[in-house]
Amino acid sequence: MWFQWSEQRDYIDTTWNCGYLLASSFGLLDLSPLAAGCILVLSRNFVQYACFGLFGIIALQTIAYSILWDLKFLMRNLALGGGLLLLLAESRSEGKSMFAGVPTMRESSPKQYMQLGGRVLLVLMFMTLLHFDASFFSILQNIVGTALMILVAIGFKTKLAALTLVVWLFAINVYFNAFWTIPVYKPMHDFLKYDFFQTMSVIGGLLLVVALGPGGVSMDEKKKEW
């Protein structure tokens, strides 16, 4: 956003016909909380407040950039929200118990359902990668990708499925969104760069699933009760 300040300001001005001053104000309103939220998350300070602020930025960008009417971009934004939900759930686990070493019966329900919602939203990213053509590679990719998405969503063999998706998504991201191979002056450079870093954010959310597991509302957890 910082390096493409003028382009984004002009886009907002053209789309909403709001004038130079309001478009610049929107840019500051968008960029400042975004930077502050990311710094707080990385420094592990006030993570829950930072997550709520970043949720607000995602919602604001969805409306301001007309993402609401573009299904592909909307699903990717929802996947980003899923990553934030998982981060919010992870932050709730820190300092959860008042008595060190004393076991608790179950994790708090809000955290469990945040992990479920985060998993379901994350898989929306992969739905945008499905290709509906008759080539063998596309059919194989769709079958394998859909199976892995279902496993993550229902929480079965979750860590293995999420790790496989991390590897697969990273490979696809590097291959299809190689913005560094496109000259800077071409519009495609910006589109690919946006997709690349957005996809990397979703990969971060999947790594949270690998690290923390699926949570209480999952088949993996239910198997322990059986």
Side-chain angles (χ1 to χ4, degrees):
M1 290 184 65
W2 178 258
F3 289 111
Q4 296 177 319
W5 175 264
S6 59
E7 290 90 341
Q8 297 198 49
R9 180 197 60 218
D10 293 342
Y11 176 84
I12 293 297
D13 185 13
T14 303
T15 302
W16 294 95
N17 195 26
C18 58
Y20 179 90
L21 182 60
L22 285 178
S24 299
S25 300
F26 170 81
L28 287 174
L29 180 65
D30 193 15
L31 179 60
S32 300
L34 182 61
C38 291
I39 291 171
L40 289 175
V41 166
L42 292 174
S43 63
R44 308 299 296 166
N45 292 310
F46 305 104
V47 175
Q48 295 188 32
Y49 297 106
C51 286
F52 287 123
L54 292 172
F55 276 125
I57 293 299
I58 290 177
L60 181 64
Q61 290 181 345
T62 300
I63 296 172
Y65 293 103
S66 302
I67 293 173
L68 194 61
W69 315 117
D70 189 313
L71 184 60
K72 178 181 176 180
F73 283 104
L74 178 61
M75 293 173 73
R76 292 191 171 199
N77 261 26
L78 289 173
L80 284 179
L84 280 177
L85 265 181
L86 290 171
L87 182 60
L88 186 60
E90 185 265 346
S91 69
R92 289 175 62 91
S93 67
E94 298 179 351
K96 180 181 60 179
S97 177
M98 294 176 58
F99 306 100
V102 178
T104 55
M105 292 296 293
R106 301 279 306 241
E107 294 180 345
S108 61
S109 293
K111 178 184 174 182
Q112 294 178 4
Y113 288 107
M114 281 191 289
Q115 288 178 291
L116 172 63
R119 295 198 321 267
V120 172
L121 289 176
L122 274 180
V123 301
L124 293 178
M125 165 63 77
F126 297 91
M127 294 180 66
T128 68
L129 300 176
L130 297 177
H131 298 283
F132 299 99
D133 56 64
S135 69
F136 173 77
F137 179 76
S138 294
I139 294 174
L140 179 63
Q141 176 178 295
N142 290 346
I143 293 174
V144 174
T146 301
L148 291 172
M149 286 189 292
I150 293 173
L151 289 177
V152 171
I154 66 176
F156 183 69
K157 301 293 183 183
T158 315
K159 290 189 175 185
L160 179 60
L163 184 59
T164 305
L165 283 176
V166 165
V167 176
W168 179 43
L169 185 55
F170 181 78
I172 290 177
N173 195 30
V174 171
Y175 182 77
F176 287 106
N177 295 326
F179 65 90
W180 52 87
T181 63
I182 307 295
V184 178
Y185 60 86
K186 291 189 175 181
M188 185 56 67
H189 176 91
D190 295 334
F191 283 111
L192 293 180
K193 188 175 182 180
Y194 174 84
D195 281 352
F196 179 86
F197 285 109
Q198 192 178 46
T199 304
M200 291 301 293
S201 298
V202 174
I203 288 175
L206 285 169
L207 287 175
L208 278 174
V209 176
V210 175
L212 303 175
V217 187
S218 64
M219 291 189 66
D220 286 342
E221 190 67 22
K222 294 302 179 184
K223 283 194 303 181
K224 298 177 183 178
E225 300 176 2
W226 300 339

